[in-house]
Amino acid sequence: MARPTLESVRNHESADELLFRGNAELVAGRPDQALRLYTKVLYDVSPGHVCAFLNRAMAYISLGYPELGVMDAYRAAITCQELRDETDATPQMKLSCKEIEKYLLADKIHYLREEPWTSQSNGHIGVGWLHTELSRILFAPEIDFTPTDGIPWDALEIRAVYRMCGALWYCGLGARSDALGLISDILTATERHIYDLTDRERWTFRSLGDEIMKDCTTDLSSDKELTKVLMKTKITLVHRVLYPWDTHIADLGSPKDAEEIETYVDLVAKCCAVRAVRPTPELGLMFKLIAARDILFDEIVLSEEGDLQVRTADPVATQSFFCDHCAAVMLISGDVQPKISYEIKHSWASSGASIATTEPYSHSEYAESIGEEKNISDPPQFMGRAQLAADPTLKNPGISQNSFSLEDTSISSEAENDAVPQSAASSSPPTPPQHSKLDMTPEFHHCNACLATCFCSGDCLNFSGDYHITLCNTGLEGVIRSRCTEHAGQKKLDDFSSLDGRLHVHPKARCLYDLLFVRIIAMAVDKDVNALDLPEIRWLNGDLRSAPGSFRDTTALADVDPILYPDEPDMDTLNQSRNLPWSFTNNVVNPINYLKTMDIDPVRHLDRTDGWILNTLFAKIMHSTQITKGARHAKTYTNFGKLVHEGAPAPEPVDEDVWVGSIHPISSMVKLADQDKGESENVTMEVGKGVKCFAGSNVETTKKVSEEDVGTGAGVGSSAKGQGTVRIRAGKDIMRSPKLENPRAPVEGIEGMEATED
């Protein structure tokens, strides 16, 4: 056997060696180099290493990414809670504990030897709260670790919470409310003897709280009303950052990427091509759609469908049925609807669907971390379809083409008792609706595993396999929708729009973003890739910017856009913003709990769940989601489940309680016309079952574009629709107005089918 080379030895550095090298870089003022070393530990050498999370949080703060510092500190805190109890420790958890023990011992030795990185600034990286014993990257001598005493989990968790509070302060605006809440929690827990803080540590937390309060008082003097709302909503703004280490950006210069996008564009927009532009030096590359040839008036420019269409409607609460894949409303009557209603209602009761508490450190009981969770002691790796097919034992009972059968007309009492939670088993459940046996299978389906998911056709059922296998039986989407319904019912939330919509995120818009997030993660699991590498996501314009700016910039009220979020679902005003609404709950706690609910370990799979990946994903989702009120598409079925009508829903009444959101990569490349620059739309975008664009604006449907103005988007002449007239010249940008239109006309009937059936 050949002797290992020096290079191979260097490539197998231990976690301790990498961490101490990172510490040296950080105190020397090179946080970018420190970040690279800490990340290598967390990705490759010792996933879930608490000390690596703690010190990488400080590196992120030094680089101007406090929101990422919050995420790392939070992961460190929940990892301490997970590893504290060794009763059910897995081999992976035991290995993590040994790595932490080794590091704390080595940290103590480095301190006693007065290694350069320990003496330089005494392990501090800044002034103020950054120059305290709780923020030091050196743990000795405050943590005097000995193997016989065991790992001081409380001491490590306290440092994680302190870093979390400081980073939240630097996030600014409403995030300071969470910081103050956490400080209050830790001090209250100390009084109750849940944590054993020294007098010095208690003073350190109080001092940080005083600084944050002083900062809030300053803002109150400049804008009292806005500051109060911000502290109540706990929302702040962070930059839409194109992180320097992000390698998941699509590149038209790459032959592989160019071929991928050309193939897709040829399917959905044959008359168009994609071009990459950089509007300003600080912006990353953005993709836009241009005319590849002359396009005639009223010609279809693009027609795009996909997996990323979600709605806010909760089938249990609304008793309405929507296709889980295309979000079409399913108008079902007669014998079929009562049975589906019964099964959906009782599937929720039997599943006991829940996700981890959204407030991990309760203001009333700090020591209770994240409440009742799924068992994630040894979660599976990201699993693709190929792996599921190779090992049948891993297969989800999942979905099948014949997942709904009208022949199953009864549910046994034994099955009912099994399906009802113990607390409800004593009461008599309602008898499932009875109906006569039918000699046909309906053309709609629902999942025979979770029973709570409907599909309007066999095609939608099959396509949903890209995400539903992972989400099936978790109840996650239902919980997100239910929470949205509860929040939307709180009138006080809508009162925030009185402040010109500043920082106001409508609960239903937030619901759609979260539903899209979990669906995208589920698709990534199915395909065994990073979520940012999914074609549906990779080509989205997130309006990402290459420089984060100073980490104190976002605390200034002057940075708040005058109108950021209207109370209506038209989110195009939002899309023009250079900032991203962010909160501790929405962007840290909830995503981590969603991952856990899907059996994805958010600590040990950082290469696919790191904080910057989740932030980039949310930036792209919020920038590209098209949101409308009411159902966009409808399908009508007979009593026998036979499809008889498909098309646009009836215009009146519009069910404004239901919001629909969708992401379509190519459609998102259609530019919004900027009237201030003399631009006007040259296409009309309609949303129904997917998205369609027609050449010509709404105004031009009764006018003809004058020959001299062809392709400019300017003046129009008279005449009818102008068929045969060139509307968009080759090479011109495809541009639309902010308004999304309903489909032009419904499909009156399905060929070969009767409108009614006895």
Side-chain angles (χ1 to χ4, degrees):
M1 181 182 295
R3 295 179 61 185
T5 64
L6 181 60
E7 187 63 29
S8 67
V9 172
R10 287 175 178 167
N11 290 337
H12 290 81
E13 290 180 288
S14 68
D16 295 351
E17 292 171 324
L18 291 168
L19 285 172
F20 289 131
R21 284 177 54 199
N23 294 346
E25 297 287 356
L26 189 54
V27 297
R30 295 185 290 272
D32 54 335
Q33 295 300 318
L35 179 64
R36 180 179 60 83
L37 293 164
Y38 295 144
T39 301
K40 183 173 178 61
V41 172
L42 292 168
Y43 278 28
D44 304 324
V45 182
S46 182
H49 199 300
V50 172
C51 300
F53 274 129
L54 288 172
N55 288 354
R56 194 176 73 153
M58 305 308 291
Y60 276 136
I61 291 169
S62 296
L63 286 168
Y65 305 116
E67 70 280 6
L68 298 183
V70 173
M71 177 67 85
D72 269 13
Y74 180 70
R75 291 189 206 240
I78 62 175
T79 304
C80 287
Q81 296 164 354
E82 177 189 87
L83 297 178
R84 180 184 281 110
D85 184 8
E86 299 180 357
T87 306
D88 299 322
T90 64
Q92 192 175 30
M93 294 167 66
K94 291 178 181 178
L95 181 60
S96 294
C97 291
K98 288 182 179 179
E99 290 285 353
I100 295 169
E101 288 179 355
K102 285 173 55 182
Y103 178 79
L104 291 176
L105 279 173
D107 178 85
K108 183 177 179 180
I109 292 171
H110 276 236
Y111 169 73
L112 294 174
R113 289 180 178 175
E114 297 183 352
E115 295 287 345
W117 74 270
T118 66
S119 57
Q120 185 174 356
S121 301
N122 202 22
H124 296 110
I125 65 167
V127 296
W129 78 272
L130 294 171
H131 198 83
T132 67
E133 64 274 14
L134 295 181
S135 61
R136 284 203 307 172
I137 60 172
L138 172 67
F139 298 116
E142 284 78 20
I143 296 181
D144 188 13
F145 173 71
T146 57
T148 56
D149 294 336
I151 299 174
W153 295 116
D154 283 0
L156 293 175
E157 186 179 346
I158 287 167
R159 280 154 177 76
V161 175
Y162 186 76
R163 286 161 163 79
M164 213 186 309
C165 294
L168 283 168
W169 178 28
Y170 277 0
C171 288
L173 300 178
R176 295 171 296 188
S177 182
D178 276 313
L180 293 171
L182 289 173
I183 293 172
S184 175
D185 289 342
I186 199 74
L187 294 175
T188 301
T190 302
E191 293 174 0
R192 296 179 181 179
H193 306 290
I194 297 173
Y195 289 103
D196 186 20
L197 269 68
T198 65
D199 291 340
R200 176 70 180 177
E201 289 170 342
R202 285 197 291 268
W203 178 86
T204 301
F205 270 103
R206 288 195 185 97
S207 296
L208 177 58
D210 290 343
E211 289 296 319
I212 298 173
M213 283 300 298
K214 189 183 301 182
D215 198 24
C216 294
T217 303
T218 302
D219 285 348
L220 280 169
S221 63
S222 60
D223 195 330
K224 183 177 181 179
E225 188 179 9
L226 176 59
T227 302
K228 284 184 175 180
V229 170
L230 292 176
M231 298 300 286
K232 189 171 185 177
T233 61
K234 303 180 182 180
I235 295 175
T236 188
L237 294 173
V238 298
H239 295 278
R240 296 178 181 269
V241 179
L242 175 60
Y243 296 102
W245 52 84
D246 187 352
T247 59
H248 303 278
I249 303 298
D251 180 11
L252 283 176
S254 163
K256 181 181 178 181
D257 286 357
E259 181 181 1
E260 177 184 85
I261 196 63
E262 286 174 8
T263 301
Y264 187 58
V265 169
D266 190 53
L267 290 174
V268 302
K270 287 182 177 292
C271 57
C272 298
V274 174
R275 293 291 182 268
V277 296
R278 189 185 295 275
T280 63
E282 68 169 350
L283 279 172
L285 284 177
M286 301 184 69
F287 303 104
K288 67 176 183 178
L289 207 61
I290 66 168
R293 58 168 173 79
D294 290 349
I295 301 176
L296 302 180
F297 188 93
D298 221 25
E299 183 178 351
I300 295 179
V301 177
L302 69 85
S303 179
E304 186 177 17
E305 297 182 15
D307 292 335
L308 298 178
Q309 292 198 122
V310 296
R311 87 287 175 188
T312 60
D314 178 5
V316 178
T318 64
Q319 292 297 299
S320 300
F321 307 109
F322 289 81
C323 178
D324 191 65
H325 180 260
C326 70
V329 62
M330 299 162 59
L331 306 176
I332 308 170
S333 60
D335 288 336
V336 180
Q337 182 169 352
K339 186 174 192 299
I340 299 180
S341 299
Y342 174 87
E343 292 187 346
I344 288 179
K345 180 177 180 180
H346 287 275
S347 71
W348 286 110
S350 62
S351 67
S354 65
I355 53 178
T357 305
T358 56
E359 291 292 343
Y361 296 108
S362 166
H363 286 244
S364 61
E365 191 62 69
Y366 179 84
E368 294 180 5
S369 57
I370 51 178
E372 183 180 353
E373 297 176 359
K374 296 169 66 69
N375 180 12
I376 57 165
S377 58
D378 192 13
Q381 299 284 339
F382 274 73
M383 191 180 302
R385 275 183 173 176
Q387 292 169 279
L388 288 169
D391 187 354
T393 63
L394 298 176
K395 272 191 178 177
N396 189 295
I399 48 183
S400 64
Q401 187 66 28
N402 298 318
S403 57
F404 179 77
S405 174
L406 293 179
E407 296 181 1
D408 181 17
T409 59
S410 65
I411 300 177
S412 68
S413 59
E414 181 180 355
E416 287 177 8
N417 290 334
D418 290 341
V420 180
Q422 189 65 33
S423 60
S426 58
S427 61
S428 300
T431 304
Q434 302 292 321
H435 49 70
S436 59
K437 182 176 178 179
L438 304 179
D439 58 359
M440 67 166 288
T441 300
E443 297 179 24
F444 56 84
H445 308 265
H446 75 279
C447 176
N448 66 349
C450 65
L451 298 178
T453 308
C454 299
F455 303 97
C456 67
S457 66
D459 285 343
C460 283
L461 173 72
N462 291 332
F463 291 140
S464 71
D466 288 344
Y467 60 87
H468 190 63
I469 290 176
T470 301
L471 293 174
C472 184
N473 286 324
T474 64
L476 184 55
E477 292 177 300
V479 173
I480 293 173
R481 292 189 182 103
S482 299
R483 189 171 56 200
C484 153
T485 304
E486 293 171 2
H487 289 175
Q490 297 173 9
K491 184 64 177 175
K492 291 181 180 179
L493 285 173
D494 289 330
D495 292 340
F496 297 158
S497 59
S498 62
L499 295 173
D500 296 327
R502 287 181 288 186
L503 290 180
H504 173 48
V505 183
H506 196 285
K508 291 187 178 180
R510 185 74 247 176
C511 171
L512 294 174
Y513 298 145
D514 284 3
L515 288 170
L516 286 166
F517 172 81
V518 298
R519 183 167 294 191
I520 290 165
I521 294 295
M523 291 168 63
V525 171
D526 180 76
K527 294 178 171 59
D528 195 21
V529 298
N530 190 301
L532 297 180
D533 284 331
L534 289 169
E536 296 88 343
I537 303 303
R538 200 155 177 256
W539 293 96
L540 293 179
N541 292 322
D543 194 25
L544 305 175
R545 298 164 191 272
S546 56
S550 167
F551 53 64
R552 296 294 284 153
D553 283 350
T554 55
T555 62
L557 292 180
D559 279 355
V560 181
D561 294 338
I563 300 178
L564 184 62
Y565 280 95
D567 196 41
E568 292 298 309
D570 179 6
M571 292 293 136
D572 290 303
T573 306
L574 166 154
N575 296 343
Q576 305 302 314
S577 172
R578 65 187 177 88
N579 295 318
L580 182 71
W582 184 96
S583 77
F584 180 49
T585 297
N586 291 335
N587 295 82
V588 178
V589 179
N590 285 350
I592 293 295
N593 291 332
Y594 296 158
L595 294 173
K596 289 183 178 182
T597 306
M598 290 189 281
D599 281 334
I600 301 169
D601 192 328
V603 171
R604 296 178 180 86
H605 295 309
L606 277 193
D607 57 329
R608 297 188 179 179
T609 64
D610 210 345
W612 68 269
I613 295 174
L614 304 186
N615 275 10
T616 301
L617 188 54
F618 270 118
K620 290 193 171 190
I621 289 172
M622 298 180 78
H623 185 264
S624 305
T625 302
Q626 296 166 332
I627 302 179
T628 55
K629 278 186 179 180
R632 300 176 181 177
H633 194 68
K635 288 189 174 184
T636 304
Y637 301 85
T638 66
N639 293 354
F640 299 90
K642 190 175 183 180
L643 178 65
V644 293
H645 181 273
E646 177 180 2
E652 295 293 342
V654 175
D655 183 4
E656 295 192 352
D657 289 336
V658 178
W659 288 22
V660 177
S662 62
I663 292 178
H664 302 280
I666 303 303
S667 303
S668 70
M669 298 179 189
V670 176
K671 183 180 178 183
L672 283 173
D674 188 344
Q675 295 183 353
D676 293 337
K677 296 181 180 179
E679 299 173 344
S680 60
E681 65 270 20
N682 51 28
V683 296
T684 299
M685 180 173 285
E686 297 180 351
V687 288
K689 187 178 181 181
V691 174
K692 284 187 178 180
C693 279
F694 297 86
S697 66
N698 281 336
V699 176
E700 294 167 340
T701 57
T702 55
K703 298 180 180 180
K704 181 180 177 183
V705 180
S706 59
E707 192 67 33
E708 64 273 15
D709 291 325
V710 164
T712 64
V716 293
S718 59
S719 184
K721 287 191 176 182
Q723 289 88 344
T725 303
V726 175
R727 178 60 186 90
I728 309 173
R729 290 292 187 189
K732 295 292 183 180
D733 291 348
I734 307 297
M735 294 186 288
R736 70 174 180 90
S737 72
K739 185 177 181 181
L740 301 175
E741 301 295 332
N742 291 324
R744 295 188 171 193
V747 178
E748 293 300 335
I750 306 300
E751 185 177 354
M753 293 189 180
E754 299 295 333
T756 61
E757 188 166 350
D758 294 333

